[in-house]
Amino acid sequence: MPAGHGQRARTRDLFARPFRKKGPTHLSTYLRIYKIGEYVDVKVNGSIHKGMPHKFYHGRTGRVWNVTKRAIGVEVNKQVGNRIIKKRIHVRVEHVQPSRCHEEVLLRIKKNDQLKAEAKAQGKIISTKRKPEGPKPGFMVEGATLETVTPIPYDVVNDLKGGY
Amino acid sequence: MAFVKAQKSKAYFKRFQVKFKRRRMGKTDYRARIRLINQDKNKYNTPKYRFVVRFTNKDIICQIVSASIAGDHVLAAAYAHELPHYGLEVGLTNYSAAYCTGLLLSRRVLKKLEMDEEYEGNVEATGEDYSVEPAESRRPFRALLDVGLIKTTTGNRVFGALKGALDGGLDIPHSDKRFAGFNKDSKQLDAEVHRKYIYGGHIASYMRTLMEDEPEKYQSHFSEYIKRGIEADNIEEVYKKVHAAIRADPTEKKSGKQPPKEHKRYNLKKLTYEERKTKLIERLNALNSAAGNDDEDEEDNE
């Protein structure tokens, strides 16, 4: 029999539910809200058969571009040949999780806004730019003693004692 | 003793997947809950309210609840044990009491949201199917009936509570198929029968039957009713008064009692390491002294 290349081909393990997590999905999946522009991870929930994305998109992260009654529109990058296309797919909310890839940026934005507001209140000028790790600072070596090592002249008698 | 092969091995327990906690406790039907709570994603944070009705052996609980990830949030609640404030002290879990509790909850919610003047609901309970009409300024308060795990048969008390909430002015999608008095053959709701149930007519007829056939059983069964002078003929008036009292002032009455500062302990307090050690030493000493006494007795006897 030939191989078969259907939509869910080769997804026996990929779409399987994790160990001891089979059965109904927990309610917070349905209670989360997604806004346009947020980043989401696409992770297929094999027990929900509707609104499943193709296996290519499992594990991809994209931005939300549309919100409908039960599904989210996600814009994901896909390499086709020699270029990367932005593909727009619709996925039910059970197959989507909020992504933490953007979390650090959002926190930094908040912190920077706060710092800038404080600096403005005090009249100071600050730079909120991140700086890469520079070279380590110089230090004095403590407790160093000098031990001079010199070569000793070759002594035939002593060396041959063992094996001759 | 026969050798019994261990049925549940270690491997069994390692692979065992527990159901959700509330399913293990048999309290929540998750299939129904998912469908009740799921809000359209393009409605974002708009809460979806459920009209929750639960019956215990001696009480009725009606709540308006909205779900969140941190936990469900109760907007308003009404209990059958509050009905004594409105003049009903007996029969707190029957169909009529359920109607009163549903009515009390709906009036409470509308008052809280300042919609009670706009949405009076059905002031005179006739038993007919009544749905709220939208008023000019605000749309009616919408909730979905959450029955929990009960069997939804025609004439169940949850539908009594539902009728109470509807007559109070809430917008709850429903059909009259399960109200008491719905005729399966003619597929129509007999409003007269439903009205009888709302005003305790079924209790009155049972009272009359018992009075005729078994007067002693009537005295023992309806003793609390007799004590308060409620008889088969004036049951309806009692409920009419309760409905009026509920509509007059549905706000909660705070009881004067304050919650106790120290809560009563229902399980044993865990002992610390030192406490356990001292307890052990005491026990050993007691054992030794008892054994010592026995030795002394033996020596004395000898």
Side-chain angles (χ1 to χ4, degrees):
Chain A
M1 269 186 70
H5 305 286
Q7 239 219 2
R8 287 187 61 172
R10 306 169 185 145
T11 59
R12 176 179 185 173
D13 292 324
L14 188 64
F15 287 178
R17 295 289 287 138
F19 182 57
R20 287 194 303 157
K21 290 208 165 63
K22 299 203 210 282
T25 50
H26 55 80
L27 270 293
S28 54
T29 324
Y30 297 94
L31 290 169
R32 281 196 218 283
I33 59 150
Y34 298 96
K35 294 195 169 149
I36 295 181
E38 285 180 352
Y39 284 90
V40 292
D41 300 332
V42 174
K43 187 174 170 210
V44 171
N45 179 340
S47 60
I48 308 289
H49 306 140
K50 289 193 157 192
M52 253 198 217
H54 184 259
K55 66 176 189 274
F56 168 80
Y57 300 102
H58 179 89
R60 307 280 155 176
T61 307
R63 278 182 53 255
V64 178
W65 65 276
N66 187 18
V67 176
T68 67
K69 200 160 90 139
R70 300 273 182 246
I72 310 277
V74 187
E75 194 177 48
V76 177
N77 288 341
K78 180 175 189 181
Q79 178 177 8
V80 181
N82 59 346
R83 68 206 192 282
I84 297 180
I85 304 181
K86 284 203 248 200
K87 300 213 61 169
R88 294 188 154 192
I89 56 169
H90 280 97
V91 184
R92 271 207 174 212
V93 295
E94 294 93 328
H95 310 292
V96 151
Q97 291 172 353
S99 182
R100 292 186 62 188
C101 64
H102 207 52
E103 180 184 304
E104 188 248 355
V105 176
L106 295 171
L107 282 174
R108 206 157 43 84
I109 291 173
K110 255 204 192 150
K111 196 173 69 140
N112 287 347
D113 287 342
Q114 196 197 25
L115 289 173
K116 280 193 234 179
E118 283 172 15
K120 192 161 185 195
Q122 293 173 352
K124 282 199 275 200
I125 300 174
I126 52 155
S127 161
T128 54
K129 288 186 185 229
R130 293 172 295 174
K131 279 198 278 285
E133 229 178 271
K136 288 193 281 257
F139 58 96
M140 293 295 282
V141 178
E142 297 287 317
T145 52
L146 281 181
E147 182 186 334
T148 314
V149 177
T150 51
I152 51 173
Y154 184 61
D155 193 358
V156 184
V157 181
N158 277 341
D159 278 335
L160 288 177
K161 241 192 220 167
Y164 183 62
Chain B
M1 202 162 94
F3 175 72
V4 180
K5 183 172 175 183
Q7 197 75 323
K8 288 190 197 163
S9 63
K10 195 166 168 191
Y12 167 84
F13 288 112
K14 279 190 165 195
R15 296 195 59 83
F16 189 77
Q17 179 188 339
V18 289
K19 297 184 163 51
F20 290 156
K21 179 157 78 157
R22 285 211 119 218
R23 169 63 189 89
R24 278 180 274 143
M25 297 200 278
K27 289 186 180 179
T28 305
D29 173 6
Y30 278 97
R31 186 170 189 276
R33 186 175 156 86
I34 286 179
R35 282 154 179 76
L36 277 169
I37 281 174
N38 208 353
Q39 174 68 291
D40 297 355
K41 292 290 152 253
N42 43 11
K43 293 188 184 159
Y44 299 100
N45 267 324
T46 315
K48 198 165 194 178
Y49 295 105
R50 320 177 268 143
F51 171 56
V52 171
V53 186
R54 299 283 186 270
F55 288 85
T56 71
N57 280 339
K58 296 184 200 166
D59 200 1
I60 308 177
I61 302 165
C62 289
Q63 295 171 319
I64 299 281
V65 188
S66 68
S68 84
I69 294 182
D72 286 2
H73 177 250
V74 176
L75 186 63
Y79 297 83
H81 64 68
E82 293 180 38
L83 291 178
H85 291 301
Y86 298 95
L88 181 67
E89 280 157 353
V90 281
L92 293 178
T93 53
N94 58 26
Y95 197 97
S96 325
Y99 180 92
C100 296
T101 316
L103 177 66
L104 175 58
L105 174 70
S106 62
R107 295 313 298 167
R108 209 170 257 181
V109 161
L110 292 175
K111 181 132 200 205
K112 196 167 191 179
L113 300 170
E114 287 159 20
M115 290 206 283
D116 51 347
E117 262 104 63
E118 272 178 80
Y119 291 101
E120 285 284 339
N122 198 5
V123 188
E124 177 68 39
T126 53
E128 275 171 9
D129 192 9
Y130 169 81
S131 295
V132 193
E133 257 121 65
E136 287 97 49
S137 50
R138 289 169 78 168
R139 282 174 298 143
F141 183 84
R142 195 182 182 86
L144 305 175
L145 179 65
D146 180 349
V147 292
L149 291 156
I150 61 114
K151 262 210 171 294
T152 50
T153 51
T154 314
N156 196 310
R157 293 170 293 168
V158 291
F159 301 110
L162 170 66
K163 186 76 180 121
L166 290 169
D167 285 352
L170 294 187
D171 177 17
I172 304 176
H174 66 284
S175 95
D176 54 0
K177 183 169 153 194
R178 292 299 181 194
F179 287 137
F182 184 81
N183 196 331
K184 233 183 2 168
D185 305 316
S186 73
K187 293 204 173 44
Q188 271 195 336
L189 175 66
D190 190 345
E192 274 303 311
V193 176
H194 199 200
R195 187 187 178 286
K196 213 172 69 120
Y197 270 80
I198 291 174
Y199 283 113
H202 57 305
I203 303 168
S205 51
Y206 185 50
M207 277 172 147
R208 289 192 190 101
T209 328
L210 273 188
M211 271 200 287
E212 274 185 42
D213 298 337
E214 290 169 86
E216 294 112 35
K217 191 167 173 201
Y218 170 75
Q219 293 291 329
S220 70
H221 197 283
F222 286 104
S223 59
E224 293 289 316
Y225 282 73
I226 296 168
K227 232 195 278 184
R228 288 171 178 80
I230 301 174
E231 290 176 359
D233 301 316
N234 55 6
I235 267 191
E236 184 164 326
E237 281 164 38
V238 172
Y239 283 113
K240 279 213 175 93
K241 280 205 207 106
V242 176
H243 296 338
I246 288 175
R247 280 185 181 273
D249 181 24
T251 52
E252 290 159 29
K253 275 127 193 104
K254 286 226 178 250
S255 78
K257 258 198 309 185
Q258 257 153 20
K261 282 182 207 82
E262 254 191 56
H263 284 279
K264 179 176 160 196
R265 263 207 97 87
Y266 293 98
N267 52 5
L268 296 172
K269 192 161 183 188
K270 266 184 148 173
L271 302 175
T272 66
Y273 181 64
E274 279 89 33
E275 284 173 5
R276 276 182 273 147
K277 267 204 331 198
T278 50
K279 244 189 150 186
L280 180 63
I281 292 171
E282 279 171 30
R283 269 175 64 197
L284 288 174
N285 284 337
L287 260 177
N288 284 338
S289 62
N293 284 342
D294 291 343
D295 288 347
E296 283 174 18
D297 288 342
E298 282 173 16
E299 283 168 18
D300 287 345
N301 286 343
E302 283 172 19

